[in-house]
Amino acid sequence: MILLEDLRELSDAAALAEKLCELVSQPIDVNGQEMCLTTSIGISITPEDSSDAEQLIRFADTAMYRAKEMGRNNYQFFTPDMNAHAGRRLQLENNLRKALQRQEMEVYYQPQVEMGSGRIIGSEHGMISPNDFIPLAEETGVIHEIGSWVLEQACRQTRHWQQTCPDLTIAVNLSARQFRNDNLVGEVSAILKETGLPAQSLELELTESLLVHDIDIATH
């Protein structure tokens, strides 16, 4: 935390924030490895935003998280609408958790069609939702619970469909958090065993960006 006294212009606070971002971003050497850091800064002003110290800190913290959402390595001044935004995010997170507990979520499938015959040979699932849904779920960790639930539901449904379409397969997208789970193989094996779906009927889809950021994990 930095307390800037005798502030004359908002541009003075902005200039300091820019200088801090510039200084922190300078490369540093750690055991022969060059590393670059980024910083996200939130700024609240008294008395415009509040005259209460604790509230000012809370407002600056809210603005800092907005800076992170804006791509990090930047600064944001607190605005009243940020409180509403933070409230909506908290409500969405709570609703996601409740939806999982109450079995209120639903899985949608996209058919894979063989062009020559027009026969449905598989089904693909992908989480389609508002732009703030997946990032929030990733950030809060709810994505792991959602991903596990979706994988189980997809395998169970595919096994049911195979009663009439024996060769049917299912492709399920993995989230970054699921992919980084050390027990991913065990979790998938347990779901296949529980649902009775043959392993060859399940495809796990990974995004290119996920593989690029986790090269060591991906190769193993």
Side-chain angles (χ1 to χ4, degrees):
M1 289 176 51
I2 296 176
L3 177 62
L4 188 61
E5 297 181 298
D6 300 323
L7 186 67
R8 296 181 179 180
E9 302 287 343
L10 292 182
S11 58
D12 294 338
L16 177 60
E18 289 176 357
K19 186 63 176 178
L20 288 171
C21 288
E22 180 183 343
L23 290 172
V24 172
S25 66
Q26 296 300 312
I28 59 175
D29 183 271
V30 179
N31 297 327
Q33 286 274 44
E34 188 178 88
M35 300 182 66
C36 294
L37 305 178
T38 61
T39 184
S40 302
I41 300 174
I43 304 171
S44 60
I45 305 295
T46 186
E48 287 86 346
D49 296 327
S50 176
S51 297
D52 180 76
E54 290 187 5
Q55 196 168 45
L56 279 172
I57 294 172
R58 189 164 60 251
F59 286 167
D61 190 56
T62 299
M64 179 194 67
Y65 277 101
R66 174 59 65 87
K68 290 183 177 182
E69 293 176 4
M70 299 295 290
R72 302 176 184 269
N73 205 38
N74 71 93
Y75 64 90
Q76 296 290 319
F77 284 91
F78 173 80
T79 58
D81 70 290
M82 289 182 182
N83 269 340
H85 177 73
R88 287 193 298 270
R89 284 172 57 86
L90 180 60
Q91 185 63 50
L92 178 57
E93 180 184 350
N94 290 336
N95 288 344
L96 283 174
R97 296 187 185 279
K98 289 179 181 178
L100 279 170
Q101 295 171 358
R102 299 171 181 174
Q103 298 291 309
E104 294 174 342
M105 302 192 74
E106 192 170 349
V107 180
Y108 289 85
Y109 302 86
Q110 298 172 333
Q112 296 175 343
V113 181
E114 187 179 63
M115 295 298 293
S117 64
R119 185 170 62 95
I120 295 178
I121 58 173
S123 180
E124 178 178 0
H125 164 75
M127 285 181 287
I128 304 171
S129 39
N131 291 334
D132 59 347
F133 175 81
I134 296 302
L136 176 63
E138 286 275 7
E139 181 182 327
T140 61
V142 182
I143 193 70
H144 180 74
E145 299 173 58
I146 294 175
S148 296
W149 180 85
V150 166
L151 182 60
E152 180 182 348
Q153 293 297 312
C155 289
R156 194 178 303 280
Q157 181 62 57
T158 303
R159 183 56 181 157
H160 174 72
W161 282 334
Q162 285 182 340
Q163 294 177 12
T164 53
C165 301
D167 298 330
L168 196 68
T169 62
I170 183 71
V172 180
N173 292 336
L174 281 185
S175 72
R177 280 184 175 266
Q178 282 179 287
F179 186 60
R180 298 188 187 105
N181 180 11
D182 293 335
N183 191 40
L184 175 61
V185 175
E187 182 177 315
V188 173
S189 297
I191 290 176
L192 289 174
K193 182 178 180 180
E194 181 181 347
T195 60
L197 183 72
Q200 63 268 25
S201 299
L202 174 64
E203 299 176 11
L204 298 178
E205 296 196 348
L206 309 173
T207 62
E208 292 179 357
S209 60
L210 187 154
L211 293 175
V212 168
H213 285 93
D214 292 285
I215 294 178
D216 292 338
I217 298 177
T219 54
H220 291 84

